[in-house]
Amino acid sequence: MASTNLLQAMKQILVAHGFWLEKSCLHGQQNISKMNYGTPGALLRRNIKTEWYDNVISSDSNVFPVENNIISDVTEESSIDKRKFKLSCVNNEEMRHWFMRRNFTEDMLEHYIPSLNLVNGRLPFTLVQIGKIYNEDPDENSDALWNRIIEETIMAVQHYTAPSNMFQTLDQWIVNRLRWWKKFLSNPGELSTVEVKSESSDITMTKIQYKCPWGLETIETVCNIQDQHLQNLETKTGISCKGKWMRKTVLPHVLHLQTSLEKSMMAILVDSFKEKEIFSTKSVKKQDPRYVLQLHTHLAPFKVALATSGNKTKEIRHLADHFLQELRQNGMMVLDVSDSNGQTSQFKRYDELGIPYTVIMNDQTLDTGVVGLRNRDTNLREQLHVSNITEKLVKYLRPI
């Protein structure tokens, strides 16, 4: 886990490399953060979403993605106070209000009946949604990586199953999600769970938390919200929400899982950012620290980078273009930057960007066909023929 001083260094380095741009703006009486993500940050977020989605759809039941608009059209006066951020307009002399979505619970339930019909009324099945919400009460912690985010990206699951099967299902989901987190965190010991019982009902929520330098961050929640929402849906629509479970017809319980992409990204960055000491072999003196973003290969924004040196720049460039095209055709995100600085400077930059492997080409590559392959985490290099490098990288980066 990153220390406080290391956290400050991480902020400066990642912002300098374009992971994110944080702007402060006034929302009511509060200063809140507006986050924009550069290419490395956008790629990291995409990879987190992809890995999360692949994990939650791996269950045995039918899984259906759904989408909802962030704007909710509310006409009932009784509902107006439930969503504080509203947009209003006059249409044909009638005042209408649009409210920014604050959670996915109700929106996803709108898809329950069509999805139940899709599976001929058979349980279990799962709905999955990824989208943005308006966070009306953002966390305030000046020591956090970023603070008071009003727009949050939520990755949510609703799993519908028989009440008699929910206890076992809930336990399986929690175990599965903890296993997923431990796969991508280098310090799984900083991960913990806590159960919180609702004051207004008998619903218990399990929070998955990560220990950051500023305290515990809840990165994911899992709970059984039971069947009250479906009872309300039956009353509202007049349509039965019961499904078939084995030889019975039951009103299912709803497992609701919710993951914050921003807090997940924050935990993963804090977990993966390392400071490594470097000593000069000549003077045996400690040099400036080496910072490395040791992201899991599946999450790294770029998988491979190119470092070149030598005098035959034109010939090396021609070989590199052909080689990098082959890597891209194999689905690898490659960073190809013409850098006149030395290899040490190039390696420093690539380590800070979290790039797992760097291919090294020089004048000798043109004569022998041999390139170097540098590992970000070990700093070791292996010599490979250029014709074998793609196969080797595919093996190193293949799904685990």
Side-chain angles (χ1 to χ4, degrees):
M1 182 184 70
S3 65
T4 303
N5 292 335
L6 190 58
L7 184 66
Q8 295 301 319
M10 180 175 71
K11 282 185 180 181
Q12 295 176 3
I13 289 172
L14 297 186
V15 170
H17 287 309
F19 273 79
W20 71 83
L21 176 63
E22 183 175 2
K23 293 184 177 181
S24 179
C25 59
L26 190 64
H27 175 66
Q29 301 299 318
Q30 298 178 333
N31 282 317
I32 56 97
S33 294
K34 186 177 74 171
M35 303 295 295
N36 296 318
Y37 300 95
T39 299
L43 289 172
L44 174 59
R45 288 165 63 83
R46 184 197 68 178
N47 293 341
I48 294 172
K49 286 189 288 186
T50 298
E51 293 295 331
W52 179 92
Y53 187 82
D54 288 346
N55 176 258
V56 300
I57 67 170
S58 61
S59 63
D60 295 332
S61 62
N62 286 310
V63 182
F64 306 118
V66 296
E67 294 183 14
N68 287 291
N69 199 295
I70 193 172
I71 304 295
S72 295
D73 182 9
V74 180
T75 56
E76 297 87 352
E77 289 297 324
S78 60
S79 302
I80 288 179
D81 292 336
K82 296 181 179 180
R83 301 178 184 235
K84 290 187 177 180
F85 186 61
K86 67 179 181 180
L87 306 171
S88 303
C89 73
V90 176
N91 182 19
N92 295 327
E93 298 182 354
E94 177 187 2
M95 180 67 74
R96 297 188 65 83
H97 305 279
W98 286 268
F99 294 81
M100 305 297 289
R101 179 176 59 213
R102 286 173 20 199
N103 61 68
F104 280 171
T105 306
E106 297 293 339
D107 288 346
M108 293 182 72
L109 283 164
E110 293 178 357
H111 298 276
Y112 172 77
I113 293 176
S115 300
L116 184 67
N117 293 334
L118 188 63
V119 295
N120 293 325
R122 296 194 175 276
L123 301 171
F125 66 88
T126 305
L127 300 181
V128 180
Q129 179 172 353
I130 299 176
K132 294 185 181 295
I133 66 167
Y134 162 70
N135 189 356
E136 67 172 349
D137 188 23
D139 296 335
E140 182 175 7
N141 191 329
S142 58
D143 296 326
L145 193 57
W146 46 70
N147 189 37
R148 300 190 68 85
I149 302 174
I150 196 169
E151 182 188 64
E152 196 169 0
T153 302
I154 295 298
M155 305 178 289
V157 169
Q158 282 189 356
H159 180 78
Y160 305 91
T161 190
S164 61
N165 190 50
M166 179 53 76
F167 180 81
Q168 179 182 358
T169 300
L170 184 64
D171 186 60
Q172 289 174 344
W173 273 90
I174 293 172
V175 170
N176 175 56
R177 293 304 302 152
L178 284 172
R179 186 183 297 120
W180 184 89
W181 278 107
K182 290 176 181 179
K183 171 182 175 180
F184 292 109
L185 296 176
S186 61
N187 299 296
E190 306 294 353
L191 206 62
S192 62
T193 60
V194 61
E195 291 188 353
V196 179
K197 188 174 179 61
S198 172
E199 296 180 357
S200 59
S201 66
D202 59 349
I203 294 176
T204 299
M205 174 185 294
T206 299
K207 294 183 178 182
I208 299 178
Q209 299 178 320
Y210 184 80
K211 186 179 179 181
C212 297
W214 57 87
L216 290 172
E217 282 285 356
T218 298
I219 51 181
E220 191 164 294
T221 59
V222 190
C223 67
N224 172 18
I225 60 175
Q226 302 180 6
D227 61 5
Q228 185 60 53
H229 291 282
L230 292 180
Q231 291 182 33
N232 296 339
L233 186 62
E234 283 186 330
T235 302
K236 179 181 178 180
T237 63
I239 301 174
S240 172
C241 290
K242 292 183 178 179
K244 301 172 186 175
W245 171 258
M246 296 184 177
R247 296 183 179 180
K248 300 179 181 179
T249 300
V250 299
L251 187 65
H253 276 196
V254 184
L255 180 149
H256 187 83
L257 180 149
Q258 186 163 297
T259 311
S260 166
L261 178 57
E262 282 72 25
K263 291 184 178 180
S264 299
M265 179 181 178
M266 188 157 48
I268 288 169
L269 287 173
V270 169
D271 175 83
S272 61
F273 195 81
K274 314 291 183 183
E275 178 182 1
K276 297 194 175 183
E277 296 181 350
I278 299 178
F279 294 88
S280 171
T281 55
K282 295 181 179 179
S283 60
V284 198
K285 290 184 178 180
K286 185 178 177 180
Q287 297 182 337
D288 291 336
R290 168 178 168 242
Y291 295 110
V292 183
L293 192 60
Q294 289 186 327
L295 292 167
H296 191 284
T297 54
H298 294 186
L299 301 182
F302 301 98
K303 310 304 182 187
V304 184
L306 177 68
T308 61
S309 64
N311 298 318
K312 303 177 181 179
T313 56
K314 185 176 180 180
E315 292 84 352
I316 293 175
R317 182 72 262 169
H318 180 74
L319 177 62
D321 288 342
H322 175 76
F323 164 70
L324 294 177
Q325 182 181 5
E326 185 178 353
L327 292 182
R328 292 187 176 105
Q329 288 174 348
N330 279 272
M332 299 181 202
M333 183 62 70
V334 179
L335 181 62
D336 176 21
V337 180
S338 298
D339 194 340
S340 58
N341 296 323
Q343 286 189 354
T344 301
S345 176
Q346 296 179 61
F347 296 155
K348 178 177 181 294
R349 181 186 188 192
Y350 298 153
D351 287 345
E352 292 173 355
L353 282 166
I355 302 175
Y357 295 100
T358 303
V359 176
I360 305 166
M361 290 186 175
N362 51 33
D363 291 344
Q364 293 182 347
T365 302
L366 300 173
D367 300 327
T368 64
V370 174
V371 300
L373 183 62
R374 176 182 177 272
N375 183 293
R376 172 200 66 198
D377 300 334
T378 64
N379 205 24
L380 297 177
R381 309 181 197 183
E382 57 180 309
Q383 302 296 313
L384 298 167
H385 194 271
V386 69
S387 62
N388 299 327
I389 190 71
T390 300
E391 180 182 356
K392 181 69 71 172
L393 283 169
V394 169
K395 179 181 178 180
Y396 288 162
L397 297 169
R398 74 178 186 273
I400 300 173

